Structures are given as structure tokens and as C-alpha cells.
Amino acid sequence: MDKTTITLHTRFQIGQVDPRIFGGFLEHMGRAVYEGVYHPDGAHANENGFRTDVLAALQRLQMPVMRYPGGNFVSGYHWLDGVGPRDQRPTVRELAWQSIEPNQFGTDEFMLMCQQMNWEPMIAVNLGTGTPEEARDWVEYCNAPPGTRYANLRAANGHESPYDVKLWCLGNEMDGPWQLGHVPADQYAIRAQQAAKMMKDVDPSLELIACGSCTPDLATYMEWDRTVLEYLGDWADYVSLHRYVGNPANDTPDFLAVTNSIDQQIEEMDAVCRFVQAKHRSKKRAYLCFDEWNIAYRNRGSDDMPKKGVFAPHLAEEIYNLEDALVIAGFFNSFIRHADVLKIANIAQIVNVLGPILTRGDEMLIQTIFFPFEMYTKRRAGIALQTIVAGPTYTGATHGEAHFIDTSAIWDTDTLHVFVTNRALDDTATVDIAVTDQTITALQHADMLTGTNPKAENTFENPYVIQPQPFDAVRIAAGKATLELPPLSVVALTFAL
Ligand code: AHR
């Protein structure tokens, strides 16, 4: 394969990388909460019933923000069910996944977990079966000083000090016909505006995320977003994007080229934000919050299990492989390339449900997609630079022309982080990296993830098939770096300038 060159210049900046693009999402779904992070009967439980092996693994991902409690779940959730003495909380048949929800983990447990994990909480309110007033009351419970009903309730539950939750999602996927309480865009916009006003009346410092299109595949894509943003105006600080991708056609090159359509989705959503801002002649611009993203298409191992009317069923427990890990790297490359407009992103989810981590009883497995997250999050500080790529391309069946090399770069004074994926199935790629106004002086450290075939995966029986390894196939000469990347690999490099 011909050589690829990546050309950078420290003045060709995209924007500061917001660390919150490395966020997570914890939903009351399947075994994400129960067994996943909260498992009081398990061998790894701490004094709060939190699962310490899973939380220790999650610490490695340094997630700055955690979205909770759903997802589809939240559109039927009444937060009052999940606070107060545990033995008085109701067990309910929850409406989204139709599982049994005992409410043993709720707002106060989540806040404690956030404190222990150094996660900024990001709460989604119920705008499906809930009311704007119920959403407002939750803000009072979380953020108001004692003295009024719900703040006093929090204090009575043992939490005198407000939690000061800043990030609130105005519902979840309200454009999806599957969503509890789904309505057309204009009706959602009214509901969201009513909630936003009452929530900000309690705490004007909130940052609110309006439900945008949850997939480009729905007929309402873009029109939904325009309608909602036009009505909400300055009430919306962010608009949400969701994206789940997959490889059902078993076409690895095309799957790896999905980055094209992630770039496109971000740019289209940003275009709506700019359109509405211009139309309103507003100084305020809504930014993008990619608050659910991942690979989801297999659902293996759960189809034969009874899932309805069950507590913590095995739902959406994907086993991830090498090609999935490379696609996760592709999401991050796209996020970094759009650092000027994308401010928050939450991988969906964190454990068991579409999880980088999977549990089986007291055992825990680190899946392939965990590693690119870890490789990128360690190198996230700085300013995203434009990456000018010249080199060989191929054409994916649905995602069009793509460079074999996918990349992004973050510059931090005398340090440069470069992320490079070789999407070729069989060919080693030679890649030159040059920073035209700087000299690359040394490689500080680099990690690589690769494997023998795109379907290679970690399992409980064979957990170390795909593991990151130090990468040293780098030559530095005349201020430039040259890499030799094996096929189907991603490397994260940190250079001294
Ligand atoms: O993450 C799983 C589900 O996917 C979420 O509950 C929902 O918002 C999305 O459709």
C-alpha cells in the first residue's frame, strides 16, 4: 500500500477538546445497574453494595460525566420511587423494557457513586409519562438548599447538602415511535419548554440538553431538530445525537468506513444549530451532546431467555471484537475532529448492556472496545488540530470513499497526541506525521491495539486475546515521525515537540 502522510500545523486548530466527550451512560436496563455496578450480594460489594471490581475497571476510563437513569427507561420512571428507606421503595414493572424494577438503586445511590468515581452527574428527566412539574421537583430534590418540600426530603434521606447537578436531559429519544410518550416534534417542544422553564426557575445555572434526532434513519431527521430548537430557542444549551452502528452485512471495510457517516451526522446537526441561531439572530448557539453512541446489532446470548417480567434480564449483552474496537476509535476520531461543536458524548453503556465490561457472577471481562477508550482518554488534554491526510483510499459499499488511515490529533504545548487507525484488512501501512511549524523530537509513549482477524474477541474462557501493547515501530528523523502500522490496528502516540 502507498504511504500516507498526516500533516499538522499548531495554528490550524479545531478547538479545545472537551473532556466530557469521554463520558458514560448508566441505564436501569438489563444487568447494567443490578449486577453491573450495584451488587450487594456479590463478592466484590463495598459497604454501599457497589461492585468494586467493575468500578475499579471503569476508573481506568476516567469518565468525567455519567448520564443516568436512561435511556428508554427514564420515559416511564418516577424518581420518587427510587428515594427514601430502601425497604419502603416500591417494586414496579417498569415500562420500557418491561423488567422488574425494585428501586434499590436510585438518585442518592447514583450521587454517592458519582462522588466515589469522580463522575459529574447528568440526569435525564421523564418527559414521556412524567410531567414537567415532576422534572422540576427532581431538580429541587437535587439542587435546592433545605427549606422546601423536596429539598427537605433529600435532607431527611441523609443528604443535607445539595448535589448541584448541572447537566439535565429534557427526556430521551422523544422522536422515536418506541419511546413511552412519544409525540410529534412540536408537542415535545412545548413539553420540553415547560419543563425547562420550571427546572431553571429552581436553579438558573442548569445546562439543558434537548432531545434531538436519535438516528439519521427516521423520516423526521433534521425536521425534528429544527422544530424543537426553533421553539426552545435559548432554553436549549445542547441538542442530543444518538448513534448505534453495526456490521450486519459482515462487510468489515464498509463497517470501518462508518466514520464518514458519523462525521456527516455531527455536521448536519451542527448545521441545524447554526440555522436556528441565525434565524433567531441569537447570540446563543446550541452545541452538540452525543449522549448515546456505540455498536449494537447482535444481542447474542439473550434471545432465548425470558426477558419480560424479569429482574435484571440479560439484555443487549454484545460480545465485542477487534473490528468493533477500531470503530470505537473511529467515533473518537470523529468527535475530536469536531471539538469545536461537540462538547459532551456518552458511550452507551458502561457494563453488561452494550458494555466495555461484562460480568458473569463475580467474574468480570474487559471487552475489546474498552481499550481504545482507555488509549484515547489518557491523551485527551489539549486542542484538536486539523489533520490533512494524503494517501490511498477505498470505497465502502454504503459509506463511500475513505482513507485507509483514519486519524485525529490533540496538541498540548510541547506534547502532541496522534491517533491513527489502519483500516486495511491485510496491508501494513506506512504513515508519515509532520507538524509543519514544529519539530517532533521524541516518542514519549504509544499503545497499539490489533489482532489476527477482525472477529477476534475476548471471552471469559479466553480473556486476553485482544490487549493493547506498547508500540515502537516509529522512526523519528528530520523532525518527522514515520510509523509502520499492522493491518487492522489502532495506535495512540504521544510525541514530544
Ligand atoms: O442504550 C440502549 C437504548 O438505546 C436506550 O435506552 C435508548 O435510549 C436507545 O434506543
Side-chain angles (χ1 to χ4, degrees):
M1 186 165 58
D2 288 345
K3 180 189 276 192
T4 295
T5 61
I6 300 172
T7 307
L8 310 165
H9 190 296
T10 61
R11 291 206 192 135
F12 293 174
Q13 303 179 358
I14 299 168
Q16 188 75 35
V17 175
D18 194 319
R20 297 176 302 173
I21 66 171
F22 293 90
F25 169 41
L26 174 64
E27 175 168 11
H28 284 254
M29 174 181 174
R31 299 189 305 128
V33 170
Y34 304 108
E35 290 189 40
V37 293
Y38 179 73
H39 197 205
D41 303 329
H44 301 287
N46 68 9
E47 68 281 9
N48 307 116
F50 299 169
R51 194 165 167 154
T52 53
D53 57 339
V54 170
L55 294 182
L58 286 170
Q59 284 283 16
R60 290 166 52 185
L61 302 183
Q62 301 169 41
M63 292 172 162
V65 59
M66 187 61 60
R67 181 172 180 250
Y68 173 84
N72 295 343
F73 169 83
V74 81
S75 296
Y77 180 57
H78 299 292
W79 66 268
L80 270 168
D81 290 347
V83 299
R86 282 217 179 90
D87 59 359
Q88 291 169 31
R89 297 184 197 175
T91 292
V92 299
R93 184 162 180 148
E94 67 83 25
L95 304 177
W97 308 109
Q98 300 181 44
S99 306
I100 297 301
E101 172 55 60
N103 284 302
Q104 293 302 291
F105 189 95
T107 305
D108 297 310
E109 290 76 22
F110 175 63
M111 292 301 164
L112 180 61
M113 189 171 285
C114 285
Q115 286 159 10
Q116 292 183 1
M117 293 295 289
N118 210 16
W119 293 334
E120 178 181 355
M122 173 174 171
I123 292 186
V125 299
N126 176 358
L127 291 189
T129 65
T131 63
E133 189 177 14
E134 183 181 358
R136 172 248 169 253
D137 294 344
W138 205 357
V139 176
E140 182 184 318
Y141 185 87
C142 291
N143 288 9
T148 53
R149 184 195 298 177
Y150 296 105
N152 287 349
L153 180 62
R154 183 195 66 238
N157 289 337
H159 309 283
E160 180 84 10
S161 300
Y163 292 123
D164 198 20
V165 179
K166 288 284 174 256
L167 291 168
W168 294 79
C169 304
L170 297 168
N172 175 72
E173 292 192 348
M174 293 300 297
D175 60 323
W178 57 86
Q179 198 69 208
L180 297 159
H182 159 69
V183 280
D186 53 350
Q187 293 182 40
Y188 164 70
I190 292 168
R191 214 181 272 177
Q193 189 276 338
Q194 290 170 344
K197 182 189 181 318
M198 283 192 272
M199 292 164 74
K200 285 213 185 193
D201 282 348
V202 178
D203 182 350
S205 73
L206 302 188
E207 293 187 69
L208 301 179
I209 299 135
C211 282
S213 289
C214 66
T215 165
D217 298 337
L218 286 180
T220 50
Y221 181 57
M222 294 283 99
E223 198 51 35
W224 169 279
D225 307 277
R226 184 191 64 73
T227 306
V228 168
L229 287 174
E230 281 197 15
Y231 189 84
L232 279 181
D234 290 354
W235 291 107
D237 299 287
Y238 304 92
V239 61
S240 71
L241 298 74
H242 288 185
R243 190 70 182 274
Y244 293 96
V245 300
N247 186 14
N250 194 19
D251 180 343
T252 299
D254 191 43
F255 185 36
L256 297 178
V258 73
T259 48
N260 285 348
S261 85
I262 299 162
D263 287 342
Q264 184 180 338
Q265 185 182 355
I266 292 172
E267 287 158 21
E268 287 168 348
M269 287 293 285
D270 181 52
V272 184
C273 293
R274 288 176 194 245
F275 169 84
V276 172
Q277 181 191 16
K279 192 170 173 191
H280 286 185
R281 286 142 180 94
S282 170
K283 289 199 169 37
K284 178 159 173 168
R285 155 118 167 258
Y287 285 99
L288 306 184
C289 171
F290 218 129
D291 58 17
E292 287 187 30
W293 66 272
N294 204 341
I295 295 145
Y297 68 107
R298 305 179 183 91
N299 217 2
R300 289 184 301 192
S302 57
D303 292 343
D304 55 349
M305 300 191 63
K307 291 187 249 178
K308 293 188 178 167
V310 174
F311 168 65
H314 291 247
L315 293 180
E317 298 195 359
E318 299 245 349
I319 303 296
Y320 290 114
N321 60 27
L322 175 62
E323 67 182 19
D324 297 326
L326 300 186
V327 167
I328 295 297
F331 269 103
F332 280 125
N333 286 335
S334 184
F335 295 169
I336 293 164
R337 287 194 291 260
H338 295 91
D340 52 338
V341 296
L342 183 69
K343 302 300 177 187
I344 306 171
N346 308 72
I347 192 169
Q349 299 188 12
I350 53 173
V351 57
N352 290 333
V353 175
L354 307 174
I357 297 166
L358 193 63
T359 66
R360 185 173 71 181
D362 291 325
E363 295 175 274
M364 183 186 77
L365 176 71
I366 304 280
Q367 297 226 60
T368 59
I369 64 168
F370 182 97
F371 299 115
F373 200 118
E374 186 178 37
M375 288 158 61
Y376 279 67
T377 201
K378 283 198 295 195
R379 297 175 170 89
R380 69 190 185 200
I383 295 168
L385 296 182
Q386 292 179 25
T387 47
I388 308 303
V389 180
T393 64
Y394 68 97
T395 302
T398 61
H399 297 304
E401 187 177 9
H403 283 101
F404 281 99
I405 294 301
D406 186 40
T407 188
S408 61
I410 299 175
W411 171 60
D412 190 10
T413 319
D414 51 4
T415 303
L416 175 73
H417 309 294
V418 186
F419 308 98
V420 190
T421 299
N422 179 9
R423 302 190 254 213
L425 297 190
D426 302 308
D427 292 332
T428 296
T430 304
V431 179
D432 280 350
I433 301 173
V435 190
T436 53
D437 63 329
Q438 301 272 339
T439 301
I440 296 177
T441 55
L443 177 69
Q444 292 182 342
H445 44 85
D447 302 311
M448 176 177 67
L449 197 72
T450 190
T452 50
N453 75 80
K455 308 300 180 190
E457 61 189 28
N458 296 340
T459 61
F460 282 100
E461 289 64 41
N462 213 349
Y464 303 113
V465 174
I466 300 293
Q467 295 289 311
Q469 47 196 283
F471 178 72
D472 58 7
V474 182
R475 271 179 295 117
I476 295 182
K480 298 177 185 174
T482 301
L483 332 174
E484 298 290 333
L485 263 74
L488 290 174
S489 63
V490 54
V491 292
L493 309 110
T494 301
F495 295 108
L497 298 178

